[in-house]
């Protein structure tokens, strides 16, 4: 009798377990989406690199070389970006000719590769092959549009002239630019 009772309990337990497993397989679409959403939230990837070097080549032409002390690449569901710490040294090449165009130094930067935007911070300095210099503490470079801008204070030097302004917009070789609210010295021969 006791053996029959244990067999009966084991049968009931295995039947209940089978019913539970089968019912879990039939989750609603909403429940499945909720579970996927929770699982995807944890899928954040990152990697780090010391002595970081980045060489961007677009359609077979060198676009830029970047050297920095440290970089952290972060990727999540919404975007991917690289946090870069310096000192940072960037060499920009003319995309049409491959010729050296400008160099940029700064202390730190953020690069969003999907939209081609660099944001550079602290002690930002651009030097062009035409000996023009731009200095600021923040500069946003939209690489795909060849546009640089900052709402902050800048010093622009085009020897022998020097101009300070609050705000700047221009291209990477500083051949076209707009300075907002500013003043300075201009030497007229």
């Amino acid at each position: 009798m006791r053996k029959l009772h244990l067999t009966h309990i084991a049968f009931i337990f295995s039947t209940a377990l089978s019913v539970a497993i089968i019912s879990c397989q039939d989750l609603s679409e909403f429940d499945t989406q909720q579970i996927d959403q929770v699982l995807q939230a944890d899928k954040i990837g990152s990697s780090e690199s010391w002595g970081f070097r980045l060489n961007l080549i677009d359609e077979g032409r060198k676009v830029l070389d970047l050297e920095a002390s440290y970089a952290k690449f972060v990727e999540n569901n919404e975007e991917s970006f690289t946090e870069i710490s310096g000192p940072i040294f960037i060499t920009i090449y003319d995309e049409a000719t491959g010729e050296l165009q400008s160099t940029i130094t700064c202390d730190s930067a953020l690069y969003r590769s999907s939209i081609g935007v660099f944001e550079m911070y602290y002690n930002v300095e651009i030097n062009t092959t035409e000996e023009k210099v731009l200095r600021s503490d923040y500069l946003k470079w939209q690489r795909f549009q060849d546009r640089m801008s900052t709402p902050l204070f800048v010093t622009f030097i085009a020897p022998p002239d020097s101009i300070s302004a609050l705000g700047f917009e221009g291209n990477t070789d500083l051949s076209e630019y707009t300075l907002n609210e500013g003043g300075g010295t201009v030497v007229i021969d």
Side-chain angles (χ1 to χ4, degrees), residues 3-21:
K3 236 181 188 185
L4 184 61
H5 181 66
L6 286 175
T7 308
H8 186 58
I9 291 174
F11 175 75
I12 291 173
F13 178 74
S14 62
T15 304
L17 183 63
S18 298
V19 168
I21 290 172

Side-chain angles (χ1 to χ4, degrees), residues 108-168:
S108 64
L110 182 68
Y111 177 50
R112 291 183 171 88
S113 58
S114 62
I115 57 175
V117 172
F118 278 91
E119 290 187 71
M120 295 165 267
Y121 303 93
Y122 309 111
N123 299 312
V124 180
E125 183 172 300
I126 303 171
N127 291 282
T128 71
T129 55
E130 301 295 317
E131 298 183 7
K132 294 177 184 174
V133 178
L134 180 79
R135 294 185 184 119
S136 185
D137 274 335
Y138 170 78
L139 187 69
K140 181 178 183 178
W141 175 29
Q142 297 168 292
R143 190 177 72 78
F144 298 145
Q145 292 82 23
D146 188 33
R147 301 306 301 164
M148 293 186 164
S149 62
T150 183
L152 301 183
F153 182 80
V154 297
T155 299
F156 181 75
I157 303 167
D161 304 330
S162 173
I163 301 171
S164 296
L166 187 60
F168 165 87

Side-chain angles (χ1 to χ4, degrees), residues 6 29 40 53 63 69 81 88 117 134 138 161:
L6 286 175
E29 186 175 330
Q40 291 294 326
R53 290 177 182 259
V63 175
S69 301
F81 55 90
I88 300 170
V117 172
L134 180 79
Y138 170 78
D161 304 330

Side-chain angles (χ1 to χ4, degrees), residues 37-45 77:
Q37 204 171 31
V38 168
L39 293 175
Q40 291 294 326
D42 291 340
K43 289 189 177 180
I44 297 175
N77 292 338

